[in-house]
Amino acid sequence: MPPASNLARYSTRIILEHPKTASHVAVGFLAFAFGSVVTSYIHQFVSSRKRIGDRENAGASREFNDLSFFYGDEKSLTTIERNCSHLPGEFYGQLVRDCIVACVDCVIVRVNSVNDSKQCILVERKDEPMKGSWWFPGGRMFKGETFFDAALRKCKEETGLKGNAVQILTCTNTFFPTSSWDVEGIKGTQTMNAVVLVEVADGSEVLLDKTSDRFRWTSTDPEDISTKEEDKYVVSALNHLKAWNNTFKRKD
């Protein structure tokens, strides 16, 4: 049969030369047209559903932009004084109980040299909040730090790994019923967390600090880890990473 673009011309010639087959040609043409419409609709529906799925987890920042704005000299504004980073215990406990604490969590990713798959590191938390849970490394930001600065510091402090901060995947607001600074009648804490993607080289040695008991590398594919009962916070962050990769055609 000729290409679809020539179908009308072909059908006209057949009708003129073979009138008895006109009805069959007409039926065939209508069936072809109907099939094309249905196929186009299905394609648009599937594409629309995929776009909706990406929107549900979209929102990552542009790569290598940590969303910092400086109203003045950047160097002086990002100079960290020791009294801003090492707060007295009693004062910090009061802050945890009474204020929202600004934090970063690190999605630290490597490429497994054995099977070329991407993995992220999870650590088992030793302290509250979320004691005993497998979470991303992370913690409080210091005054004067950008999101990337804090992420690279926490990455190095808690895992011994050095890497490159790539982007902010999402920002979350977390409410915990307990903390390490609970006192009688006042328990729990609230944190606001920038979730930062950090890429490290495969084979880098992991050296945990006192905040974690164990570590393990796991898949960055949320569909893989959701069957392993990973924490909802971990699954959510990796959904954002996958949505970005799919939208901008990055390799998972």
Side-chain angles (χ1 to χ4, degrees), residues 101-109 121-123 125 129-130 134-141 146-148 150-155 158-159 165-174 176 191-198 231 233-234 237:
V101 183
C103 300
V104 295
D105 285 318
C106 309
V107 181
I108 303 172
V109 173
I121 193 170
L122 298 179
V123 295
R125 292 181 59 85
M130 301 302 290
W134 289 93
W135 258 43
F136 300 121
R140 182 176 70 91
M141 292 180 66
T146 67
F147 291 127
F148 283 4
L152 294 178
R153 175 178 58 81
K154 296 305 296 183
C155 180
E158 296 195 8
T159 69
V166 178
Q167 64 189 140
I168 301 168
L169 297 175
T170 184
C171 185
T172 63
N173 189 13
T174 52
F176 302 103
T191 64
M192 186 175 295
N193 313 291
V195 183
V196 179
L197 173 63
V198 178
D231 189 89
Y233 181 76
V234 172

Side-chain angles (χ1 to χ4, degrees), residues 13-87:
R13 182 168 59 82
I14 290 296
I15 292 171
L16 293 174
E17 296 177 359
H18 305 282
K20 293 182 180 181
T21 65
S23 60
H24 297 289
V25 172
V27 170
F29 181 79
L30 289 173
F32 175 83
F34 179 75
S36 298
V37 171
V38 171
T39 300
S40 176
Y41 176 79
I42 292 174
H43 175 74
Q44 292 178 14
F45 177 78
V46 172
S47 298
S48 174
R49 293 304 302 172
K50 185 178 185 303
R51 288 195 298 271
I52 291 173
D54 287 342
R55 284 202 298 270
E56 289 176 353
N57 296 296
S61 71
R62 180 170 55 84
E63 292 166 319
F64 309 112
N65 177 9
D66 84 342
L67 305 180
S68 293
F69 296 88
F70 302 98
Y71 294 90
D73 179 66
E74 179 177 343
K75 183 176 180 181
S76 62
L77 290 172
T78 55
T79 299
I80 304 174
E81 301 294 341
R82 181 175 174 80
N83 64 328
C84 295
S85 57
H86 295 81
L87 303 177

Side-chain angles (χ1 to χ4, degrees), residues 35-36 83 181 207 223:
S36 298
N83 64 328
W181 300 92
L207 298 172
E223 294 182 4

Side-chain angles (χ1 to χ4, degrees), residues 78-124:
T78 55
T79 299
I80 304 174
E81 301 294 341
R82 181 175 174 80
N83 64 328
C84 295
S85 57
H86 295 81
L87 303 177
E90 183 177 348
F91 175 80
Y92 184 63
Q94 192 72 39
L95 183 149
V96 169
R97 291 187 294 271
D98 295 347
C99 302
I100 299 173
V101 183
C103 300
V104 295
D105 285 318
C106 309
V107 181
I108 303 172
V109 173
R110 71 174 186 182
V111 177
N112 189 319
S113 58
V114 176
N115 56 19
D116 202 35
S117 66
K118 285 195 174 182
Q119 300 175 311
C120 66
I121 193 170
L122 298 179
V123 295
E124 186 179 28

